[in-house]
Amino acid sequence: MANKQVLVLGAGQLARMMSLAGAPLNIDISAFDVGSEQIVHPLTKNVIGHGLNNAIASADVITAEFEHIPHSVLDICEKSGKFLPTTQAIKAGGDRRIEKQLLNDSKAANAKYAIIEKRADLDAAIEFVGIPMVLKTALGGYDGKGQWRLTDAKQVDQIWKKVSAAIEATPHQAVVAEEFVPFEREVSLVGARRVNGEVAIYPLAENVHVNGVLSLSVAIDEPELQSQAATMFTAIAEQLDYVGVLAIEFFDVKGKLLVNEIAPRVHNSGHWTQQGAEVCQFENHLRAVCNLPLGSTQAIRHTAMVNILGQNRVPESVLSMPQCHIHWYGKEQRPGRKMGHINVCGHSHQEMKEILTQLASVLEPAAFPELKDRVSKL
Ligand code: ATP
Ligand code: MG
C-alpha cells in the first residue's frame, strides 16, 4: 500500500488520535482548524499548510472529526470529490431535523418528535409528543448543551422564553421536541463501512452520562442487543451511502433499542477500542476512507473508558496500575472540558472491575463524579 495524505476537518482530539493511528500505516494527517481557518499538524498544532484550497488540492482524501462545520467549507470539500463519508451525513449529524428524517427513512426506531419554530408549534408539540418532553436545538448541540426538559404544563411560558431566545440567536435554528424516553441505560455502536458496502462493527458500549456529558463507557457482550443495533447501523449507513466510522447512540428501553442520535465520525464511546479491540476505531476510519481492507473489530479483552473532564493531571500512580492506559489530548484546561481519557482493561470482567475500582480510589472524586458508585454496579 502507498502513503496517503488525509485532510481532517477539525483539529481536536479526534484528529489527533487519527494521526496517531494512521502513522504505522503511512497515512499522514493534516487538520483544518475551523476556528482559526488554518491547516495545522494534529499533534503539534503548528501551522503546516497554506490555506484550505491548497490542503484540499494536496490531499488524497478529506474527512471530518466533527459535524458542526460551516456548510460553505463542506461545499468546497464536496466539489473536490475527495470528501468522505458524505456531506449529507455530516449535515445530518449537525442538524437534528435532518437526522430525525434520516432515522425514519432508515426505519430505525426513535423517539416521537415535532419541530418547533414558533409558539404555536410548541403547543402542537405538547399535543403530539406529550409531557414530559425533551427540547433540543436543531443546530449546534453537543454534550447536552442547548437542551431543556418540560416536565409540567405550568413551565410552558418559562420554557418558551428560553426556546425562542435560542431560535432567534442562530440563523436557520429550530428546536426539536422529543418525547422523554424512560430508558434503563444508554448504549452506543461504532462501526465502519467501506465504499464497497463491507461493514465492520464493534461490540456495543454501555455509556454513563453525568450532566449530559459522557463519563464512562464499557464494552459489553450482549448478542440480542448487538444484533438489533447492527441491523439499524447497516440500514442507516446504507441510506447515507456512508464511508468511514459511524457512531449511533441508543436508549435501551426494556431490551428494545431506540436511536437517540448519530455521529458521522469516530466517537468518544469508541475510545475503548484503542486497547480493547484488535484494530481501533481511528485506524478503521482511516482504512475505510482510504478504501483499504477494514481491520478486525473483535474485542481482545474486557475494556472500559473513563473520561478525564476539566483536569490536566491525574496521580502518577495511575501509570503503574496494570492495564490502565492514559490518553491526553494536549488541550488547554477548562472546567468540564474533555481533557483526556483512561482505558482500563482486564482479562475478565471481574479483573477489569477491580482495576477500575482501584483507579476510582486514586482519582479526585470531584473530577470524576459518580465513578466509584457506577463502577461498583458493573
Ligand atoms: P452528545 O454530546 O452525545 O452529542 P448531545 O448534546 O448531542 O450529546 P443528546 O445525546 O441528544 O445530546 O442528549 C444528551 C443526553 O440527554 C442523552 O445522552 C440522554 O441521557 C439525555 N436525553 C436526550 N434525549 C432524551 C430523551 N428523549 N429522553 C430522555 N433522555 C434524553
Ligand atoms: Mg448524545
Side-chain angles (χ1 to χ4, degrees):
M1 60 170 286
N3 164 268
K4 295 269 187 189
Q5 302 292 325
V6 176
L7 171 65
V8 178
L9 304 181
Q13 67 263 25
L14 301 178
R16 175 184 170 105
M17 289 186 276
M18 277 187 221
S19 174
L20 292 168
L25 294 184
N26 231 358
I27 298 173
D28 296 326
I29 310 288
S30 54
F32 175 67
D33 182 329
V34 175
S36 68
E37 300 191 352
Q38 301 267 32
I39 304 298
V40 299
H41 189 280
L43 298 177
T44 62
K45 302 291 154 67
N46 291 336
V47 174
I48 52 170
H50 302 283
L52 184 58
N53 287 324
N54 284 320
I56 290 172
S58 52
D60 295 306
V61 177
I62 308 166
T63 188
E65 65 140 28
F66 80 142
E67 48 276 29
H68 303 300
I69 296 165
H71 286 191
S72 55
V73 171
L74 281 178
D75 293 341
I76 302 173
C77 293
E78 170 101 312
K79 279 204 190 88
S80 72
K82 298 176 182 177
F83 188 79
L84 292 167
T86 61
T87 51
Q88 189 212 349
I90 301 294
K91 288 174 183 172
D95 186 333
R96 294 189 197 276
R97 290 164 287 199
I98 304 174
E99 183 177 39
K100 281 294 210 177
Q101 188 60 51
L102 163 71
L103 297 178
N104 290 340
D105 292 346
S106 314
K107 300 192 171 43
N110 66 98
K112 201 165 155 183
Y113 76 102
I115 293 168
I116 299 176
E117 287 169 353
K118 51 188 189 302
R119 175 62 207 245
D121 299 335
L122 176 58
D123 298 328
I126 293 170
E127 185 75 19
F128 179 64
V129 172
I131 295 177
M133 170 197 280
V134 180
L135 298 119
K136 306 179 183 181
T137 54
L139 304 172
Y142 70 100
D143 288 346
K145 293 185 173 67
Q147 290 198 14
W148 304 269
R149 304 257 160 122
L150 178 61
T151 52
D152 188 322
K154 288 192 207 108
Q155 302 167 322
V156 174
D157 289 335
Q158 198 191 332
I159 287 264
W160 174 246
K161 272 195 198 133
K162 294 180 187 160
V163 165
S164 54
I167 293 173
E168 276 160 30
T170 307
H172 314 297
Q173 185 63 285
V175 163
V176 172
E178 247 177 43
E179 73 181 307
F180 179 84
V181 178
F183 59 84
E184 268 126 48
R185 59 179 179 166
E186 294 183 81
V187 298
S188 59
L189 192 74
V190 172
R193 183 174 184 272
R194 202 177 162 190
V195 71
N196 65 3
E198 175 193 349
V199 294
I201 298 174
Y202 289 97
L204 279 164
E206 180 174 345
N207 301 321
V208 175
H209 293 88
V210 178
N211 302 325
V213 183
L214 184 67
S215 160
L216 175 69
S217 263
V218 186
I220 57 173
D221 176 15
E222 296 185 27
E224 159 51 31
L225 279 196
Q226 183 78 29
S227 124
Q228 280 184 48
T231 301
M232 289 193 254
F233 176 93
T234 307
I236 294 167
E238 275 174 9
Q239 181 75 28
L240 287 167
D241 211 0
Y242 198 90
V243 177
V245 162
L246 168 72
I248 307 179
E249 295 179 16
F250 300 92
F251 299 126
D252 175 358
V253 189
K254 296 188 179 136
K256 185 176 181 301
L257 295 184
L258 288 186
V259 177
N260 170 27
E261 59 173 358
I262 67 157
R265 54 174 167 81
V266 288
H267 194 254
N268 196 171
S269 69
H271 292 359
W272 68 269
T273 62
Q274 290 172 308
Q275 265 75 40
E278 186 70 39
V279 171
C280 75
Q281 62 164 346
F282 303 101
E283 183 175 330
N284 259 332
H285 180 68
L286 294 174
R287 288 184 186 219
V289 298
C290 294
N291 199 18
L292 297 168
L294 300 178
S296 166
T297 48
Q298 262 200 334
I300 50 173
R301 46 187 173 168
H302 295 260
T303 309
M305 182 226 58
V306 177
N307 265 341
I308 305 173
L309 302 173
Q311 294 272 306
N312 61 2
R313 58 183 60 203
V314 294
E316 228 170 72
S317 61
V318 173
L319 285 175
S320 54
M321 288 184 187
Q323 305 189 75
C324 268
H325 301 264
I326 306 181
H327 298 260
W328 287 112
Y329 305 154
K331 297 199 303 198
E332 210 179 295
Q333 187 181 14
R334 268 196 243 133
R337 194 174 199 198
K338 287 177 181 169
M339 300 293 292
H341 66 271
I342 306 173
N343 284 337
V344 178
C345 307
H347 297 291
S348 65
H349 181 80
Q350 188 54 29
E351 189 182 35
M352 177 191 78
K353 192 175 156 176
E354 280 163 16
I355 301 168
L356 271 171
T357 307
Q358 199 186 343
L359 178 69
S361 72
V362 303
L363 296 176
E364 234 181 87
F368 298 87
E370 297 185 25
L371 181 62
K372 247 187 187 155
D373 179 48
R374 295 299 186 135
V375 166
S376 69
K377 289 183 187 138
L378 286 179

